[in-house]
Amino acid sequence: MNTRFLTLSLILLGLVFFSCDEEVKTKPLSYQLTHAFRLVVEDHPLRTWSLQTKVIDGEEKLFFGDVRKKDNIKVFNMDTKEWEESIRFEKEGPDGIGTMNGFYVHTMDSIFVVNSFGWEIHLMNGSKKVRTYNTKEGIPAMDQITPFTTNNAISGIINGKLIFYGFPEVPYQGLDYHNRVKIVQSIDLKTGENKVEIGYPKEYHNHLWPGLIVIMNEQSVVGDKIYMNYPFSDSVYEFDGISNRAKPLFLGSTYKKTITNYDGKSTQEINGEGTYFEVLSKGAYTDILADEINSHLYRTISYSKSDPSSFSTYSEFKPTAERNLLIYDLDRDTFIGEIDFQEDELDRIPMMFVGEKGLYLSKMSEEEEAVDFYLLSWEE
């Protein structure tokens, strides 16, 4: 009798916990978007994923990477609402960077510029090169990664080590692929020593997944913590520095469905157009941004509510994508909730960056070559 009572109690307790998880997961947030400023850009593309803010001499600056010329960083003063002199780099010669796939502004005298397919990171003082770090040096071929090519690969500096993420150089094959590859690397800024340490969590191990997973991870750094976004995981993983000591933080969306693994599938199937249908129809977590000042973690999910079988090509299906925002309070160690943005109030895939006041999101102007940024606020 006692055994039956204990079993029943455990079942009921499990149901309570399950219900609580579901309630938290589906919690909607009311929100407001307040217009912050407009950027008028005439000589390079409006859209970029190379964005960073920094307070310089008491003024907040937005650093805006030129994704066409890939040789300069635009500087917008968020306090005066004016453009300042751009930071320009040489592509060739002794101070040449080759090309700029991303950057990290540590100080105005220490700017790290990424040349992903040159496997180099240059430390620049203005247009003058101070040092070049070879990201492959000392790393076995099977462990080498390419710094991410479109977003800012560099996330920050921890204990004198530059932290960046990328995708593995080894071919995507074998059920043990996600067991063995790494996607995060550090460079000791004094010695130049490279280390690759952080890979995929166990939920990815011993399975094949849609091939585009290797370009969908993302990273953010706050203090001595590294936050890793994996596209199919309902948790963001918090790492203690470059070590593999991981803590999962739940930031799951109502709209996320279970992705089908591709065990036993051919290379063509794993990398084919069908995988894009699979990922968008089931939902994938795409971006992560840490707000150190306000102690928030932001994560986005890209998903479609449309029936994928109604579309003959992915180019037709792709415009049905929607993007929601998930918010986590790092101080309280609590998932706050999910924002389901209204249609057309922001770009379908908005540019995002974190400033002193919080999270900014973009909306392209239909009238001129301009983009508006809005500051997000919400109520719990």
Side-chain angles (χ1 to χ4, degrees):
M1 183 67 177
N2 290 339
T3 302
R4 290 179 61 192
F5 177 77
L6 179 60
T7 302
L8 180 60
S9 298
L10 289 173
I11 292 172
L12 290 174
L13 185 61
L15 289 174
V16 169
F17 279 120
F18 180 81
S19 298
C20 289
D21 281 347
E22 288 301 303
E23 183 179 347
V24 171
K25 187 173 180 178
T26 57
K27 181 181 178 182
L29 294 176
S30 58
Y31 67 96
Q32 182 175 346
L33 292 167
T34 303
H35 187 264
F37 57 86
R38 167 171 284 198
L39 294 182
V40 178
V41 185
E42 298 177 349
D43 62 343
H44 72 101
L46 282 169
R47 184 171 292 280
T48 177
W49 307 119
S50 293
L51 295 165
Q52 183 192 345
T53 59
K54 197 89 174 182
V55 175
I56 307 291
D57 297 328
E59 294 183 320
E60 189 171 21
K61 310 289 180 74
L62 171 62
F63 298 95
F64 195 90
D66 188 328
V67 295
R68 178 184 293 152
K69 296 179 180 177
K70 297 185 177 182
D71 66 356
N72 73 94
I73 302 170
K74 311 293 183 187
V75 184
F76 182 78
N77 189 314
M78 293 173 61
D79 295 323
T80 65
K81 304 295 189 294
E82 294 179 347
W83 288 106
E84 298 186 350
E85 184 178 354
S86 297
I87 304 167
R88 300 188 179 279
F89 310 110
E90 298 292 331
K91 284 192 170 184
E92 307 293 338
D95 290 315
I97 62 166
T99 189
M100 181 179 71
N101 299 116
F103 64 86
Y104 177 76
V105 178
H106 182 50
T107 68
M108 291 302 289
D109 297 331
S110 299
I111 299 175
F112 296 89
V113 177
V114 183
N115 178 355
S116 294
F117 291 115
W119 295 278
E120 294 178 329
I121 296 177
H122 306 287
L123 172 58
M124 307 295 294
N125 182 352
S127 60
K128 182 175 178 57
K129 186 189 296 182
V130 178
R131 183 172 181 176
T132 294
Y133 298 93
N134 184 316
T135 66
K136 287 186 172 184
E137 187 174 313
I139 298 179
M142 295 299 289
D143 293 333
Q144 292 172 0
I145 67 174
T146 297
F148 205 80
T149 53
T150 50
N151 290 13
N152 276 331
I154 303 173
S155 302
I157 297 174
I158 299 177
N159 297 327
K161 295 181 179 181
L162 194 69
I163 310 297
F164 70 91
Y165 72 106
F167 39 90
E169 285 285 297
V170 298
Y172 183 34
Q173 60 188 20
L175 288 175
D176 65 341
Y177 177 86
H178 294 100
N179 309 36
R180 54 190 169 83
V181 299
K182 308 296 184 184
I183 54 177
V184 179
Q185 185 169 330
S186 69
I187 301 176
D188 188 302
L189 295 176
K190 287 186 177 180
T191 66
E193 182 185 12
N194 290 296
K195 284 189 177 181
V196 287
E197 298 199 42
I198 295 175
Y200 287 90
K202 289 184 179 179
E203 61 195 281
Y204 286 79
H205 292 185
N206 301 315
H207 291 291
L208 288 174
W209 301 98
L212 70 162
I213 185 178
V214 299
I215 59 170
M216 293 185 70
N217 305 298
E218 243 199 81
Q219 178 191 81
S220 194
V221 167
V222 170
D224 62 353
K225 304 294 185 184
I226 298 173
Y227 296 94
M228 288 301 302
N229 177 79
Y230 300 96
F232 306 153
S233 300
D234 282 333
S235 293
V236 166
Y237 285 80
E238 177 188 88
F239 290 87
D240 185 10
I242 197 68
S243 76
N244 285 305
R245 296 189 296 275
K247 172 186 174 182
L249 308 177
F250 175 82
L251 282 91
S253 169
T254 304
Y255 297 96
K256 182 70 175 69
K257 301 173 185 176
T258 302
I259 296 285
T260 303
N261 69 57
Y262 277 57
D263 297 355
K265 302 289 185 180
S266 67
T267 301
Q268 184 176 0
E269 290 172 298
I270 291 171
N271 297 314
E273 187 180 52
T275 64
Y276 290 84
F277 278 95
E278 171 72 13
V279 171
L280 183 56
S281 63
K282 301 292 181 63
Y285 299 108
T286 48
D287 298 296
I288 185 170
L289 286 169
D291 182 347
E292 184 171 9
I293 295 173
N294 302 293
S295 196
H296 289 128
L297 197 61
Y298 302 104
R299 187 189 205 190
T300 61
I301 181 172
S302 184
Y303 67 98
S304 175
K305 296 176 183 176
S306 300
D307 179 3
S309 65
S310 302
F311 302 86
S312 57
T313 64
Y314 182 70
S315 61
E316 296 174 355
F317 183 47
K318 187 177 179 180
T320 68
E322 301 184 43
R323 186 160 290 203
N324 282 15
L325 185 74
L326 306 156
I327 308 173
Y328 194 92
D329 189 311
L330 292 171
D331 279 344
R332 292 186 290 161
D333 201 13
T334 302
F335 175 56
I336 296 176
E338 181 170 8
I339 291 178
D340 192 346
F341 291 114
Q342 297 179 24
E343 188 175 357
D344 294 330
E345 66 179 341
L346 293 170
D347 292 327
R348 184 176 60 84
I349 302 178
M351 291 181 283
M352 303 192 306
F353 67 88
V354 170
E356 284 195 298
K357 295 179 180 179
L359 182 68
Y360 294 81
L361 302 106
S362 72
K363 172 68 174 177
M364 295 292 181
S365 170
E366 297 179 357
E367 302 173 359
E368 58 177 320
E369 290 297 308
V371 57
D372 293 292
F373 279 94
Y374 293 84
L375 182 63
L376 175 71
S377 59
W378 66 88
E379 296 179 3
E380 296 185 40

